[in-house]
Amino acid sequence: GLLAQGGLLAVRATNRASSPTRRGLLVRRDLLCQPVPPAPVGVDVFPETDAVTTRERHQVLVDEPFCSRCHRLLEPIGFALERFDAAGRVRTMDEGVAIDESGYIQTEDGDVEVTSAEDLAEELAGLGQAQDCFTSLVGAYSMGMDPDRTSCLVSSEAGTPILDQFLAVAASDHFFERVVEP
């Protein structure tokens, strides 16, 4: 699946380590269409810690009261992708410690627990937020329009196959006729 693509994961990492923050941001912003506020100006990226693994270092951000407001939205999602290193290669150990892929997706209805990248993908596929996001992006990318203006072109009903969404866009009058706005 998409979340196991090495190139995608490598772009959402640093040059030396995986990044649960960047990978969580990918899911939150691009697959759930939810904005995440930027880090406050002048904030030290990582508080002092004796943590060894990437997960341990990033857990500090989730636990730190000042940071947790945003990082609780990101790291727990990114933890499910920790099996992939900075280059997107599969790994089982980080600094001699077995990888822990457990995490969660914080939603309006509560936290959805995940145990791996595959589990994360499956849970996202079933989330209404992700389905609505995908639906809006299908129209936006197909039509070159703002996602809010394309909702009538694609079905947002749960379980609508992806191919049917693309076909609905291609069959619409909007796909063949361009209206020039003043």
Side-chain angles (χ1 to χ4, degrees), residues 129-149:
Q129 294 167 312
Q131 293 169 357
D132 291 344
C133 179
F134 180 78
T135 296
S136 70
L137 294 177
V138 166
Y141 290 131
S142 300
M143 306 300 293
M145 296 169 62
D146 186 288
D148 295 333
R149 299 185 59 214

Side-chain angles (χ1 to χ4, degrees), residues 14 25 40 58 114:
T14 69
L25 186 61
H58 283 264
V114 295

Side-chain angles (χ1 to χ4, degrees), residues 11-176:
V11 170
R12 301 309 195 278
T14 69
N15 61 347
R16 294 187 175 151
S18 65
S19 176
T21 305
R22 291 179 182 181
R23 292 173 179 178
L25 186 61
L26 162 75
V27 172
R28 183 70 56 192
R29 195 173 48 200
D30 300 335
L31 300 180
L32 294 171
C33 293
Q34 296 175 347
V36 176
V41 177
V43 170
D44 187 14
V45 177
F46 279 102
E48 288 295 319
T49 179
D50 293 330
V52 175
T53 67
T54 301
R55 183 184 181 101
E56 290 170 341
R57 285 191 305 277
H58 283 264
Q59 186 63 49
V60 171
L61 297 171
V62 176
D63 296 338
E64 173 66 38
F66 182 74
C67 304
S68 68
R69 192 176 111 237
C70 294
H71 285 276
R72 188 173 188 281
L73 298 172
L74 306 175
E75 265 74 3
I77 294 171
F79 290 153
L81 302 170
E82 271 301 283
R83 179 176 23 138
F84 304 97
D85 70 6
R89 297 174 299 220
V90 174
R91 64 183 178 161
T92 58
M93 306 289 274
D94 181 12
E95 298 296 332
V97 177
I99 298 290
D100 176 3
E101 298 179 77
S102 64
Y104 58 87
I105 309 165
Q106 186 182 36
T107 71
E108 295 169 352
D109 300 325
D111 295 344
V112 176
E113 302 290 327
V114 295
T115 59
S116 66
E118 294 82 7
D119 192 27
L120 174 62
E122 189 174 311
E123 291 294 342
L124 285 170
L127 280 179
Q129 294 167 312
Q131 293 169 357
D132 291 344
C133 179
F134 180 78
T135 296
S136 70
L137 294 177
V138 166
Y141 290 131
S142 300
M143 306 300 293
M145 296 169 62
D146 186 288
D148 295 333
R149 299 185 59 214
T150 61
S151 61
C152 62
L153 300 177
V154 290
S155 173
S156 61
E157 292 180 32
T160 301
I162 293 171
L163 181 58
D164 288 352
Q165 292 187 29
F166 283 113
L167 290 173
V169 170
S172 73
D173 290 338
H174 296 285
F175 193 75
F176 293 102

